[in-house]
């Protein structure tokens, strides 16, 4: 399979300036992809573009990964209805370091060059930039962009000169990388198409060279129709402090049946035969959720290490009755303790009282009803209406119904 064939199979063909994608099957080129440090973590929206970068790298194209230390000082106004609040220098520095760490985790031992556009912008003089760069950018081209028209319209919030100039700053990145690193292609998210095209134009006007853009399709939640970005509700971050590996794993595990095949192609490096085989087994026995389990483990392993993926998988299997709680190691139990309510109990505590304190019932009467009806489980076993002696010394998993859990620490 060639690169152009694989991009087509994975559903990663969106907008591009290439007239014929088979040109990517020829000699390796140098390309770049960038992320602004507007937050201290990338999201799964960024991850989709990162996986496209890895696809290019698989076929020996040479990547430059950019951190937007300069562009991050302004912030991309595209898609924003109001002016951004500027980040402090300390915040930008922290965010840059965090993004660089995630680059290294995702791309691992793959060969890439890491650059920060602040390094070439910090010494540029304002008048020189206006004369050498701004002189070659038609204002009509910038005014024609949809978000500019919206912001300047009667109901718009307006736009500052700083945000208006953002596209020019990003366009210069492409020119700089073209001149200094022989970069001829920018890969980007679909929302960056306008900014990227401005870079193509700048390379053509100033350097007389040919440059191209290739964008990943916008990845949306097919249930809600919302994109996966930094400003959406329930954002899924790559930073384990913002979205724990367990919650990250659960997100992929809960992908709907209609989306799971396309997500396997976009968010994993599994080859065609493996995905086809996985989907066939899944189709034959959908209740197994094999496709979702494969997706969840593979993506969590990439972003959070194999150890974290194993712990998330084992903890999930316990919650859904596929593994015994007693089989979990201390690290796996620790994962559950960060995600579930944790309470203490003694042998003298009534089970109904423990259920209420765990938040699994609103009253002792309701808790007793749950016990009698067989809705309460302790370590996978149906609970009996006793004093709580069913709890073993140490950690226990208390469950009500299918999806309500707590960890009970019983003292000796």
């Amino acid at each position: 399979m060639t690169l152009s064939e694989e991009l087509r199979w994975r559903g990663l063909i969106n907008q591009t300036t290439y007239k014929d994608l088979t040109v990517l099957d020829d000699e390796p080129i140098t390309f770049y992809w960038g992320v602004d440090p507007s937050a201290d973590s990338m999201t799964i929206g960024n991850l989709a573009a990162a996986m496209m970068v890895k696809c290019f790298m698989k076929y020996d194209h040479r990547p430059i990964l950019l951190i937007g230390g300069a562009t991050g000082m302004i912030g991309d106004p595209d898609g924003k209805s109001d002016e951004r609040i500027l980040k402090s220098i300390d915040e930008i520095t922290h965010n840059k370091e965090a993004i660089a760490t995630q680059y290294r985790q995702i791309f691992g031992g793959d060969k890439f060059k890491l650059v920060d556009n602040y390094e070439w912008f910090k010494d540029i003089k304002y008048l020189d930039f206006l004369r050498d760069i701004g002189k070659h950018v038609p204002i009509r081209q910038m005014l024609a962009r949809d978000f500019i028209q919206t912001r300047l319209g009667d109901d718009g919030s307006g736009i500052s000169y700083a945000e208006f100039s953002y596209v020019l700053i990003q366009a210069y990145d492409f020119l700089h990388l073209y001149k200094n690193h022989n970069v001829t292609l920018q890969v980007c998210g679909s929302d960056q198409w306008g900014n990227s095209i401005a870079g193509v134009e700048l390379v053509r006007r100033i350097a007389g060279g040919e440059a191209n853009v290739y964008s990943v399709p916008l990845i949306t939640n097919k249930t809600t129709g919302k994109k996966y970005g930094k400003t959406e509700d329930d954002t899924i971050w790559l930073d384990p402090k913002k979205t724990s590996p367990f919650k990250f794993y659960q997100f992929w595990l809960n992908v709907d049946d209609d989306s799971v095949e396309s997500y396997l192609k976009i968010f994993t490096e599994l080859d065609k035969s493996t995905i086809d085989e996985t989907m066939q087994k899944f189709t034959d026995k959908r209740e197994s959720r094999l496709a979702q389990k494969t997706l969840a483990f593979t993506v969590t392993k990439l972003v959070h290490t194999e150890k974290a993926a194993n712990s998330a998988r084992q903890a999930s299997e316990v919650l859904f009755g596929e593994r015994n709680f007693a089989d979990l190691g201390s690290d796996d139990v620790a994962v559950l303790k960060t995600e579930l309510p944790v309470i203490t109990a003694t042998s003298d505590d009534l089970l109904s009282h423990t259920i209420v304190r765990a938040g699994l019932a609103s009253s002792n009467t309701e808790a007793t009803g749950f016990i009698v009806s067989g809705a309460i489980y302790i370590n996978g076993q149906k609970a009996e209406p006793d004093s709580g002696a069913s709890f073993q010394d140490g950690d226990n998993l208390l469950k009500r119904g299918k999806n309500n859990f707590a960890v009970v620490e019983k003292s000796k």
Side-chain angles (χ1 to χ4, degrees), residues 14 48 145 156-157 192 220 232 269 281 283 288 297 334 347 366:
N14 192 44
R145 302 188 67 185
S157 62
Q192 288 295 306
T220 62
E232 301 299 324
E269 295 179 278
K281 291 179 178 178
T283 301
S288 71
F297 181 81
S347 297
E366 185 179 45

Side-chain angles (χ1 to χ4, degrees), residues 376-394:
I376 300 296
Y377 290 80
I378 299 173
N379 299 329
Q381 302 298 315
K382 189 175 295 185
E384 299 296 332
D386 56 17
S387 63
S390 297
F391 291 115
Q392 63 184 13
D393 291 339

Side-chain angles (χ1 to χ4, degrees), residues 30-83:
T30 303
F31 69 100
Y32 92 98
W33 174 57
V35 174
D36 274 354
S38 55
D40 59 358
S41 175
M42 291 189 282
T43 70
I44 60 171
N46 299 121
L47 182 60
M51 298 309 293
M52 184 170 70
V53 170
K54 288 175 74 69
C55 195
F56 274 76
M57 294 168 70
K58 175 181 174 182
Y59 292 88
D60 297 325
H61 294 297
R62 301 176 293 270
I64 290 180
L65 304 183
L66 181 146
I67 300 175
T71 38
M73 295 180 71
I74 305 300
D76 187 359
D78 198 350
K80 303 295 184 293
S81 58
D82 297 299
E83 193 82 8

Side-chain angles (χ1 to χ4, degrees), residues 63-109:
I64 290 180
L65 304 183
L66 181 146
I67 300 175
T71 38
M73 295 180 71
I74 305 300
D76 187 359
D78 198 350
K80 303 295 184 293
S81 58
D82 297 299
E83 193 82 8
R84 282 178 177 268
I85 298 174
L86 295 179
K87 303 286 184 184
S88 70
I89 300 299
D90 287 344
E91 191 174 3
I92 292 171
T93 300
H94 167 75
N95 292 353
K96 287 196 299 184
E97 293 171 352
I99 298 299
T101 297
Q102 291 180 351
Y103 275 159
R104 296 185 184 101
Q105 172 62 34
I106 293 169
F107 295 100

Side-chain angles (χ1 to χ4, degrees), residues 277-381:
E277 181 181 357
T278 299
M279 289 306 301
Q280 184 59 58
K281 291 179 178 178
F282 170 68
T283 301
D284 293 341
K285 191 178 180 182
R286 287 183 177 266
E287 64 273 17
S288 71
R289 296 187 67 76
L290 176 63
Q292 283 88 347
K293 291 176 181 177
T294 302
L295 174 68
F297 181 81
T298 306
V299 183
T300 306
K301 176 183 175 181
L302 171 69
V303 175
H304 294 300
T305 74
E306 185 171 5
K307 180 180 178 181
N310 275 319
S311 288
R313 176 170 62 185
Q314 291 169 12
S316 294
E317 288 173 351
V318 166
L319 295 185
F320 295 104
E322 299 172 357
R323 179 185 291 266
N324 293 326
F325 180 74
D327 294 338
L328 293 184
S330 58
D331 289 345
D332 304 326
V333 173
V335 169
L336 285 178
K337 283 185 169 183
T338 63
E339 306 297 335
L340 303 177
V342 179
I343 63 167
T344 59
T346 69
S347 297
D348 296 328
D349 292 332
L350 291 174
L351 178 56
S352 58
H353 292 180
T354 303
I355 293 170
V356 172
R357 287 194 298 112
L360 303 185
S362 58
S363 68
N364 292 331
T365 300
E366 185 179 45
T368 301
F370 286 144
I371 297 169
V372 172
S373 67
I376 300 296
Y377 290 80
I378 299 173
N379 299 329
Q381 302 298 315

Side-chain angles (χ1 to χ4, degrees), residues 200-218:
V200 169
E201 286 296 307
L202 206 58
V203 169
R204 180 181 63 81
R205 288 172 180 271
I206 294 179
E210 179 182 346
N212 288 282
V213 180
Y214 191 104
S215 69
V216 68
L218 179 65

Side-chain angles (χ1 to χ4, degrees), residues 86-377:
L86 295 179
K87 303 286 184 184
S88 70
I89 300 299
D90 287 344
E91 191 174 3
I92 292 171
T93 300
H94 167 75
N95 292 353
K96 287 196 299 184
E97 293 171 352
I99 298 299
T101 297
Q102 291 180 351
Y103 275 159
R104 296 185 184 101
Q105 172 62 34
I106 293 169
F107 295 100
D110 294 326
K111 295 180 180 179
F112 63 87
K113 183 177 181 62
L114 184 64
V115 298
D116 177 357
N117 61 10
Y118 180 74
E119 292 303 313
W120 54 82
F121 270 105
K122 65 181 180 180
D123 296 324
I124 295 180
K125 295 179 180 179
Y126 181 66
L127 289 178
D128 290 341
F129 189 74
L130 290 181
R131 288 176 60 87
D132 298 338
I133 307 302
K135 189 68 175 175
H136 298 275
V137 181
I139 196 72
R140 180 184 299 175
Q141 184 183 77
M142 299 172 72
L143 286 171
R145 302 188 67 185
D146 290 342
F147 80 92
I148 295 290
Q149 293 295 314
T150 299
R151 293 274 287 270
L152 294 179
D154 292 339
D155 297 325
S157 62
I159 188 168
S160 68
Y161 177 75
E163 286 200 353
F164 181 74
S165 302
Y166 178 92
V167 62
L168 183 57
I169 300 172
Q170 183 173 318
Y172 181 76
D173 287 341
F174 206 162
L175 177 64
H176 174 88
L177 293 172
Y178 175 86
K179 286 182 173 181
N180 294 277
H181 298 281
N182 198 31
V183 170
T184 57
L185 171 67
Q186 179 181 3
V187 299
C188 62
S190 60
D191 59 339
Q192 288 295 306
W193 178 256
N195 292 335
S196 302
I197 287 296
V200 169
E201 286 296 307
L202 206 58
V203 169
R204 180 181 63 81
R205 288 172 180 271
I206 294 179
E210 179 182 346
N212 288 282
V213 180
Y214 191 104
S215 69
V216 68
L218 179 65
I219 310 300
T220 62
N221 183 321
K222 293 189 178 181
T223 302
T224 65
K226 291 183 178 180
K227 71 174 184 177
Y228 294 123
K230 297 175 185 175
T231 57
E232 301 299 324
D233 295 335
D234 302 320
T235 298
I236 306 299
W237 302 92
L238 306 192
D239 186 335
K241 298 184 187 70
K242 299 168 82 72
T243 299
S244 71
F246 178 81
K247 284 191 172 73
F248 189 82
Y249 182 93
Q250 290 295 313
F251 169 80
W252 301 106
L253 190 63
N254 289 316
V255 165
D256 63 90
D257 291 354
D258 292 337
S259 302
V260 69
E261 183 175 7
S262 64
Y263 284 8
L264 279 167
K265 293 177 180 178
I266 292 170
F267 290 102
T268 80
E269 295 179 278
L270 298 176
D271 60 28
K272 186 177 186 302
S273 62
T274 301
I275 291 178
D276 287 347
E277 181 181 357
T278 299
M279 289 306 301
Q280 184 59 58
K281 291 179 178 178
F282 170 68
T283 301
D284 293 341
K285 191 178 180 182
R286 287 183 177 266
E287 64 273 17
S288 71
R289 296 187 67 76
L290 176 63
Q292 283 88 347
K293 291 176 181 177
T294 302
L295 174 68
F297 181 81
T298 306
V299 183
T300 306
K301 176 183 175 181
L302 171 69
V303 175
H304 294 300
T305 74
E306 185 171 5
K307 180 180 178 181
N310 275 319
S311 288
R313 176 170 62 185
Q314 291 169 12
S316 294
E317 288 173 351
V318 166
L319 295 185
F320 295 104
E322 299 172 357
R323 179 185 291 266
N324 293 326
F325 180 74
D327 294 338
L328 293 184
S330 58
D331 289 345
D332 304 326
V333 173
V335 169
L336 285 178
K337 283 185 169 183
T338 63
E339 306 297 335
L340 303 177
V342 179
I343 63 167
T344 59
T346 69
S347 297
D348 296 328
D349 292 332
L350 291 174
L351 178 56
S352 58
H353 292 180
T354 303
I355 293 170
V356 172
R357 287 194 298 112
L360 303 185
S362 58
S363 68
N364 292 331
T365 300
E366 185 179 45
T368 301
F370 286 144
I371 297 169
V372 172
S373 67
I376 300 296
Y377 290 80

Side-chain angles (χ1 to χ4, degrees), residues 5-24:
E5 290 170 340
E6 183 157 350
L7 290 170
R8 188 169 290 107
W9 169 70
R10 289 191 183 275
L12 289 174
I13 293 181
N14 192 44
Q15 288 178 289
T16 180
T17 53
Y18 285 120
K19 293 182 174 63
D20 183 357
L21 285 181
T22 59
V23 69
L24 295 171

